[in-house]
């Protein structure tokens, strides 16, 4: 079946602008994660949704970052007043927690954000 | 704080040579450890998890709680193993987020 998809694949914006990044998880997956990957680093956790609610938003760097998942499926990561330091690849992952608590997170291709 | 350390940014080996990608972690509870791989122009994907204790594509990894390590090993490297490898820890105390290391590029030369 279709994997996690993310749009756009690339986004170039100017400092101070607002951007929205979209994630379509695998159908039926209740958990959805956002990570950010800066050059030369591993992915860093931003926020985790279980259904419609944000179960853990401890990774959001500041109040310019916000994410929603209103119907428990598609999620949008919103960044206000973008700064050059926000430039990174934004990854989305979804999962279905199996019996016994095992979970596999399936990653999307990422959105590469460049803030000029 | 939870942390995953991969000390090597790049590991270059010849085809047929053994491979060991190092991973050390710090975690206060009982960790769940993973290896993820990203091949060129592909998305990040799970390679193996310590709970399964299985061999995937000839790779194995054993969790050593005494040394807080989860090194990835393969006895004979193949050119198609060339990729970026990330070690990750699942933080079960605070949701289910993954904490990743910085990654190691494995380059297998012919």
């Amino acid at each position: 079946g279709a994997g996690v998809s993310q749009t756009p694949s690339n986004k170039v914006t100017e400092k101070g602008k607002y951007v929205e990044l979209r994630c379509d998880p695998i159908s039926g997956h209740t958990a959805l994660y956002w990570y950010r990957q800066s050059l030369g680093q591993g992915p860093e956790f931003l926020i985790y949704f279980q259904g419609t609610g944000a179960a853990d938003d401890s990774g959001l760097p500041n109040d310019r970052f916000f994410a929603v998942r209103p119907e428990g499926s598609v999620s949008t990561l919103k960044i206000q007043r973008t700064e050059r330091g926000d430039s990174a690849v934004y990854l989305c992952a979804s999962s279905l927690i199996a019996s016994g608590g095992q979970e596999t997170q399936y990653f999307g291709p990422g959105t590469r954000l460049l803030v000029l | 704080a939870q942390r995953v350390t991969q000390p090597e940014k790049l590991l270059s080996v010849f085809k047929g040579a053994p491979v060991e990608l190092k991973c050390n972690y710090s975690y206060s509870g009982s960790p769940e450890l993973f290896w993820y791989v990203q091949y060129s122009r592909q998305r990040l994907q799970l390679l193996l998890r310590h709970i399964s204790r299985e061999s995937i594509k000839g790779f194995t990894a054993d969790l050593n709680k005494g040394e807080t390590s989860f090194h990835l090993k393969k006895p004979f490297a193949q050119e198609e193993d060339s990729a970026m490898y990330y070690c990750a820890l699942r933080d079960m105390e605070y949701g289910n987020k993954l904490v990743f290391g910085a990654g190691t590029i494995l380059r297998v030369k012919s």
Side-chain angles (χ1 to χ4, degrees):
Chain A
V4 178
S5 62
Q6 293 186 245
T7 55
S9 53
N10 290 280
K11 177 71 178 177
V12 181
T13 190
E14 293 177 344
K15 180 174 177 293
K17 298 287 190 185
Y18 168 81
V19 296
E20 288 190 354
L21 311 179
R22 177 187 167 108
C23 172
D24 280 87
I26 293 171
S27 178
H29 279 194
T30 55
L32 185 146
Y33 302 80
W34 284 99
Y35 294 85
R36 177 168 73 172
Q37 186 169 20
S38 302
L39 199 61
Q41 302 295 320
E44 289 181 288
F45 170 77
L46 294 176
I47 186 169
Y48 156 52
F49 288 90
Q50 184 62 251
T52 59
D56 180 0
D57 65 357
S58 62
L60 295 177
N62 51 59
D63 61 5
R64 295 187 298 105
F65 288 74
F66 189 70
V68 295
R69 194 185 185 201
E71 297 178 358
S73 178
V74 170
S75 176
T76 305
L77 178 66
K78 309 180 182 197
I79 311 174
Q80 298 178 320
R81 305 183 303 281
T82 52
E83 299 178 357
R84 292 194 180 89
D86 298 335
S87 297
V89 176
Y90 288 82
L91 296 169
C92 177
S94 71
S95 74
L96 181 65
I97 297 179
S99 60
Q102 281 199 30
E103 178 196 27
T104 298
Q105 293 186 24
Y106 295 88
F107 283 81
T111 293
R112 189 175 298 276
L113 175 67
L114 178 61
V115 182
L116 300 176
Chain B
Q2 299 81 4
R3 186 180 301 138
V4 175
T5 303
Q6 294 180 251
E8 302 141 327
K9 283 199 175 298
L10 171 66
L11 182 64
S12 190
V13 302
F14 283 102
K15 177 181 166 184
V19 171
E20 183 179 50
L21 298 171
K22 291 185 166 48
C23 172
N24 287 88
Y25 67 90
S26 62
Y27 186 64
S28 55
S30 293
E32 188 176 0
L33 273 295
F34 304 84
W35 277 98
Y36 275 80
V37 61
Q38 187 165 27
Y39 300 102
S40 180
R41 302 184 196 284
Q42 294 187 27
R43 63 187 66 191
L44 199 57
Q45 58 186 281
L46 178 66
L47 179 62
L48 55 79
R49 68 178 81 222
H50 90 269
I51 286 176
S52 301
R53 302 182 67 83
E54 57 193 343
S55 172
I56 304 291
K57 299 185 179 183
F59 284 99
T60 59
D62 290 318
L63 180 61
N64 186 323
K65 292 187 179 181
E67 296 183 356
T68 59
S69 68
F70 188 56
H71 303 326
L72 184 68
K73 300 177 184 179
K74 184 168 182 176
F76 308 104
Q78 298 172 293
E79 288 181 74
E80 54 264 35
D81 296 329
S82 295
M84 174 70 93
Y85 290 80
Y86 293 98
C87 183
L89 177 155
R90 182 177 166 199
D91 185 346
M92 297 166 74
E93 290 184 18
Y94 298 102
N96 294 316
K97 66 183 181 188
L98 293 173
V99 178
F100 286 87
T104 298
I105 299 170
L106 174 63
R107 197 165 290 157
V108 182
K109 301 176 287 188
S110 57

